[in-house]
Amino acid sequence: MEENQIAKSSSMESDIRILTSGGRTIPAHSSVLASASPVLEKLMSDRPERTVPIVGVPSDAVAAFVNFIYSRSFMGEEEMIERHGIQLLVLSHVYQVRELKRACEVGLAGKLMAESVVDVLQLARECDAPYLSIRCMKFISKDFKEVEKTEGWRFLQDHDPWFELHILQFLDEAEKTRKRRMRNRKYQRLYLQLNEAMECLEHIFTEGCTHVGPHDMEPDKKKGPCTNFSTCCRGLQLLIRHFVTCKKKVPGGCSHCKRMWQLFRLHSSLCDQPESCKVPLCRQFKEKMPDERTGEDGRWRLLVRKVESAKAISSLSKRKRVDELDVPTFIPN
């Protein structure tokens, strides 16, 4: 929108002019400016000559600023941010035009580059633009090796060491958070695997699978492999067969037997029907289960709670998949 188009955008004749650094004047309407910016409203009330200077930025940026106030959006917003994003962010902050400030933050955040991200971050800090600041910090964290080679980073080191320290502390916390999330995902996968092993254990000793099953299963009756045979059930059956035939068969005597003892104990800790349960040693482990919540027993109880949580998550996930498959299709008459 050009200057004359701004004046024609209202049935009222323009009653105020904006003066720019290049000596350019832009006609405008005081009511429109006042409704968009409390700062401009105050400036106009204090200047009876009906002129408002907006200086310090190129005239084209001021024109884009006024255009946004009139239209509440940009014609060719991406190009406008590319050309005047920095200046528009400053103007929106100084004159408190929140919609424009948000648009500038989002636009600039989408065009960050290693060569300029430090300058944009410093500007975001000065203009109180938290969204843009966070995006800049994340960009620096992701590509710090390239950022520290730039002139902007070297200038920051020489002139603002406190802000440099703040950035480095953020990077350190981000790295710790990343490692913590990776560790949590690793443990979560482990708890899900243990929950799957518990389900297979119950399945084997309740229904039977291939040649392994409950004690009352007919010897000649062979069950077909289950859906989890290749991923979990087969390995668990090999462990069970070893446990049955191993001569040591004590928790500390054989690593495979020790693992099987732990699986039996974990099942017993999770089982709520030990009297009718067909999994071996379930009731025996239940009777010997200690009440202490410290030391090794405390860590074991924590493991049990984590597996219980994984079981709940797995159950919800399966239910969601079933619900998605069972969504009815309505056919109109």
Side-chain angles (χ1 to χ4, degrees), residues 77-99:
E77 181 173 329
E78 186 174 346
E79 180 183 356
M80 195 63 66
I81 295 293
E82 183 76 32
R83 293 170 56 191
H84 305 299
I86 297 294
Q87 295 89 352
L88 290 172
L89 177 63
V90 173
L91 291 173
S92 64
H93 173 68
V94 171
Y95 294 103
Q96 298 180 20
V97 182
R98 294 181 180 179
E99 293 178 8

Side-chain angles (χ1 to χ4, degrees), residues 118-184:
V118 174
D119 297 329
V120 175
L121 175 59
Q122 290 179 301
L123 178 66
R125 183 176 63 156
E126 294 295 329
C127 292
D128 188 24
Y131 174 80
L132 183 57
S133 295
I134 292 174
R135 291 293 299 271
C136 288
M137 294 290 259
K138 289 183 176 180
F139 184 96
I140 294 173
S141 175
K142 184 178 179 181
D143 201 12
F144 182 66
K145 289 185 178 181
E146 292 299 320
V147 172
E148 67 176 346
K149 298 176 185 177
T150 63
E151 186 65 30
W153 182 258
R154 289 192 290 270
F155 182 87
L156 183 68
Q157 288 179 308
D158 295 337
H159 296 86
D160 198 344
W162 286 110
F163 192 42
E164 178 197 7
L165 178 62
H166 172 70
I167 295 174
L168 293 176
Q169 288 175 336
F170 177 88
L171 299 182
D172 183 59
E173 288 298 322
E175 180 63 17
K176 290 179 180 178
T177 300
R178 186 187 68 83
K179 290 181 178 179
R180 185 165 57 250
R181 286 176 178 171
M182 289 180 61
R183 185 169 60 251
N184 289 341

Side-chain angles (χ1 to χ4, degrees), residues 98-279:
R98 294 181 180 179
E99 293 178 8
L100 175 58
K101 187 173 183 179
R102 177 62 178 173
C104 290
E105 283 193 78
V106 173
L108 290 171
K111 298 181 179 298
L112 293 174
M113 297 183 296
E115 295 77 11
S116 58
V117 66
V118 174
D119 297 329
V120 175
L121 175 59
Q122 290 179 301
L123 178 66
R125 183 176 63 156
E126 294 295 329
C127 292
D128 188 24
Y131 174 80
L132 183 57
S133 295
I134 292 174
R135 291 293 299 271
C136 288
M137 294 290 259
K138 289 183 176 180
F139 184 96
I140 294 173
S141 175
K142 184 178 179 181
D143 201 12
F144 182 66
K145 289 185 178 181
E146 292 299 320
V147 172
E148 67 176 346
K149 298 176 185 177
T150 63
E151 186 65 30
W153 182 258
R154 289 192 290 270
F155 182 87
L156 183 68
Q157 288 179 308
D158 295 337
H159 296 86
D160 198 344
W162 286 110
F163 192 42
E164 178 197 7
L165 178 62
H166 172 70
I167 295 174
L168 293 176
Q169 288 175 336
F170 177 88
L171 299 182
D172 183 59
E173 288 298 322
E175 180 63 17
K176 290 179 180 178
T177 300
R178 186 187 68 83
K179 290 181 178 179
R180 185 165 57 250
R181 286 176 178 171
M182 289 180 61
R183 185 169 60 251
N184 289 341
R185 283 196 293 267
K186 176 182 175 182
Y187 284 136
Q188 189 62 34
R189 286 195 296 269
L190 173 62
Y191 301 140
L192 287 171
Q193 290 171 357
L194 286 173
N195 173 64
E196 186 179 4
M198 295 299 100
E199 292 178 350
C200 286
L201 198 65
E202 291 184 33
H203 156 67
I204 289 171
F205 287 103
T206 303
E207 304 169 0
C209 184
T210 61
H211 295 288
V212 182
H215 63 88
D216 55 356
M217 189 175 75
E218 297 179 12
D220 298 333
K221 188 175 181 181
K222 180 180 178 182
K223 292 271 188 176
C226 64
T227 55
N228 294 328
F229 183 77
S230 60
T231 57
C232 178
C233 208
R234 180 176 179 274
L236 194 56
Q237 287 187 33
L238 293 174
L239 201 60
I240 292 170
R241 287 184 173 186
H242 169 84
F243 183 78
V244 172
T245 58
C246 183
K247 301 300 181 181
K248 298 179 181 178
K249 203 178 295 185
V250 291
C254 170
S255 60
H256 298 297
C257 290
K258 181 178 181 181
R259 189 180 308 169
M260 197 67 241
W261 277 98
Q262 290 172 335
L263 291 176
F264 282 141
R265 181 186 176 189
L266 181 58
H267 162 79
S268 178
S269 299
L270 296 167
C271 183
D272 56 358
Q273 295 179 335
E275 296 299 328
S276 59
C277 183
K278 292 187 176 182
V279 177

Side-chain angles (χ1 to χ4, degrees), residues 187-188 190-191 194 265-266 269-270 292-310:
Y187 284 136
Q188 189 62 34
L190 173 62
Y191 301 140
L194 286 173
R265 181 186 176 189
L266 181 58
S269 299
L270 296 167
E292 292 81 1
R293 297 176 180 269
T294 59
E296 182 181 353
D297 295 316
R299 290 193 294 271
W300 181 263
R301 289 179 181 275
L302 178 61
L303 173 64
V304 172
R305 287 198 297 271
K306 294 293 186 180
V307 176
E308 286 176 336
S309 299

